[in-house]
Amino acid sequence: MARTTLTRTILAAVSVASLFTLGACASDAGGEPAGGGETDAAAPDDGVITLGFSQVGAESGWRAANTKSIQDTLTAENGFDLKFSDAQQKQENQIQAIRSYITQGVDVIAFSPVVETGWDPVLQEAKAAGIPVILTDRAVDSSDETLYESFIGSDFVKEGEMAGEWVVEQYDGEGYKAVELQGTTGAAPAIDRKEGFESAVEGSDLEIIDSQTGNFTRAEGKTVMEGFLNKHDDIDLVFAHNDDMGLGAIEAIEAAGMTPGEDIKIVTIDAVKDGMQALADGKINYIVECNPLLGPDLAEIAKKVIAGEEVEKRIVVEDLAFDQESAKEALPTREY
Ligand code: GZL
Ligand code: ZN
């Protein structure tokens, strides 16, 4: 795709102007387009940003809300031509999608890496092709930070800590035995939420007696919880890395004739509608939110990257937390 410095300059000027109207930081306001040409992101000829997005899959309510946010925001009227692919939670499908975006010569590539490792080769190919990459939701464990422009997502260690701190506050001293439903093996949220939870409960008398991956899905969360219930008769609490696995655990606990939220407490992360409903109904005891609405941030960062603007390397999305009372209040106006 032929690109001229003139187009880039005009686009940069236009994007600086549009940043003005968006109430963007004044520091970019100088006469010259700030940082023009710093990245090797050449401007698209027609002002439309063609963005190739590789999504993890459709494994959970969170993922559905995340996909909706991206597709609702990166629209033609917002200046985007979005190419979207669903990898069914397989890294090889994501690598294939990224390679196809490189071949198509898109202006920007964005993706949520299903696992942390194994991305350097394909990201080096994108870099060699002069196509900037933006990470959303999950991070990569790459030593080469030049392989992506920015990472937009939550602090998963903090989410695990918030869950653990609440459990210690509520139940320390009662000798609770807990089981853990881990997210997808190798995924940043699974690794980091486990780390955060364990660090928060360290020193309390809570004992994690079993831990296994439920791959972030309701079905696998239920199956793993059935296994835990067959193996242990002294489970007091479930820590699930996402609502969907917590909802699967509820089904298994009820099938075993016990009352979730009472006989066995449940703490999860995400705060999607189905999880918040279970929390309001008393079947879950606490949920730490993980905001999936990353579309607007992605659109803004993509426009800045194309305009050659400086972008922050790491944009942390703020997360709240809910107990049964605050869930009842929040439910009516929940966006997801
Ligand atoms: C977290 C995201 C996780 C959610 C799960 O940012 O990657 O993946 O917690 C989803 O629900 O499957
Ligand atoms: Zn890591």
Side-chain angles (χ1 to χ4, degrees):
M1 183 188 290
R3 291 157 180 157
T4 64
T5 45
L6 176 62
T7 314
R8 181 182 295 166
T9 309
I10 290 170
L11 194 89
V14 165
S15 65
V16 168
S18 62
L19 283 177
F20 255 131
T21 51
L22 292 174
C25 48
S27 63
D28 291 341
E32 278 304 302
E38 239 145 42
T39 69
D40 43 18
D45 294 351
D46 49 7
V48 174
I49 299 174
T50 302
L51 187 142
F53 191 90
S54 167
Q55 180 61 291
V56 167
E59 73 282 2
S60 63
W62 190 96
R63 189 63 56 200
N66 179 245
T67 289
K68 186 174 180 315
S69 174
I70 290 161
Q71 291 179 333
D72 287 355
T73 312
L74 275 66
T75 56
E77 51 272 8
N78 199 5
F80 287 92
D81 172 10
L82 175 65
K83 301 193 182 294
F84 188 90
S85 63
D86 168 341
Q88 287 99 36
Q89 292 185 286
K90 290 182 178 59
Q91 179 171 32
E92 61 270 20
N93 291 350
Q94 289 200 289
I95 290 172
Q96 201 176 348
I98 292 168
R99 286 211 165 103
S100 80
Y101 295 143
I102 293 170
T103 310
Q104 292 171 50
V106 299
D107 299 309
V108 188
I109 289 169
F111 74 115
S112 168
V114 60
V115 293
E116 285 192 336
T117 54
W119 301 101
D120 284 16
V122 74
L123 294 182
Q124 274 149 7
E125 290 166 32
K127 184 177 177 184
I131 301 176
V133 173
I134 299 167
L135 300 181
T136 67
D137 165 27
R138 297 186 184 176
V140 298
D141 260 358
S142 168
S143 52
D144 182 355
E145 288 221 330
T146 67
L147 292 177
Y148 60 89
E149 305 299 318
S150 183
F151 164 58
I152 308 159
S154 295
D155 178 343
F156 303 129
V157 175
K158 184 159 179 289
E159 291 171 347
E161 284 169 352
M162 287 164 73
E165 282 156 11
W166 186 84
V167 169
V168 172
E169 212 176 280
Q170 297 296 317
Y171 308 120
D172 190 17
E174 301 192 30
Y176 265 27
K177 293 190 182 336
V179 292
E180 180 182 30
L181 293 170
Q182 293 180 42
T184 302
T185 304
I191 293 166
D192 294 351
R193 286 170 182 170
K194 181 172 180 44
E195 180 191 316
F197 186 81
E198 285 172 351
S199 68
V201 303
E202 184 132 18
S204 78
D205 68 357
L206 182 98
E207 188 191 350
I208 299 172
I209 59 173
D210 221 324
S211 179
Q212 201 179 322
T213 181
N215 202 24
F216 283 131
T217 68
R218 199 178 293 212
E220 290 163 271
K222 179 180 179 184
T223 306
V224 172
M225 189 65 203
E226 284 163 352
F228 286 157
L229 290 166
N230 292 333
K231 220 165 116 188
H232 307 280
D233 59 4
D234 54 354
I235 298 172
D236 302 300
L237 182 133
V238 179
F239 168 51
H241 289 184
N242 79 333
D243 292 358
D244 287 67
M245 293 189 292
L247 293 164
I250 285 172
E251 290 177 34
I253 291 166
E254 289 176 332
M258 288 183 274
T259 309
E262 290 175 28
D263 301 329
I264 296 182
K265 308 293 190 294
I266 300 180
V267 176
T268 68
I269 299 175
D270 271 352
V272 292
K273 200 151 278 184
D274 290 350
M276 292 288 273
Q277 190 57 61
L279 179 58
D281 296 345
K283 295 186 176 181
I284 289 180
N285 301 87
Y286 193 67
I287 302 185
V288 174
E289 181 188 50
C290 177
N291 191 325
L293 305 181
L294 303 181
D297 281 326
L298 174 57
E300 190 186 330
I301 292 294
K303 287 183 176 176
K304 281 184 162 183
V305 164
I306 286 295
E309 298 278 312
E310 276 301 300
V311 293
E312 303 93 294
K313 202 72 186 172
R314 174 83 169 87
I315 298 172
V316 183
V317 175
E318 281 313 301
D319 291 323
L320 303 173
F322 298 89
D323 61 17
Q324 290 169 355
E325 282 323 302
S326 55
K328 286 185 190 122
E329 284 146 34
L331 254 177
T333 56
R334 280 300 274 176
E335 262 191 78
Y336 60 91

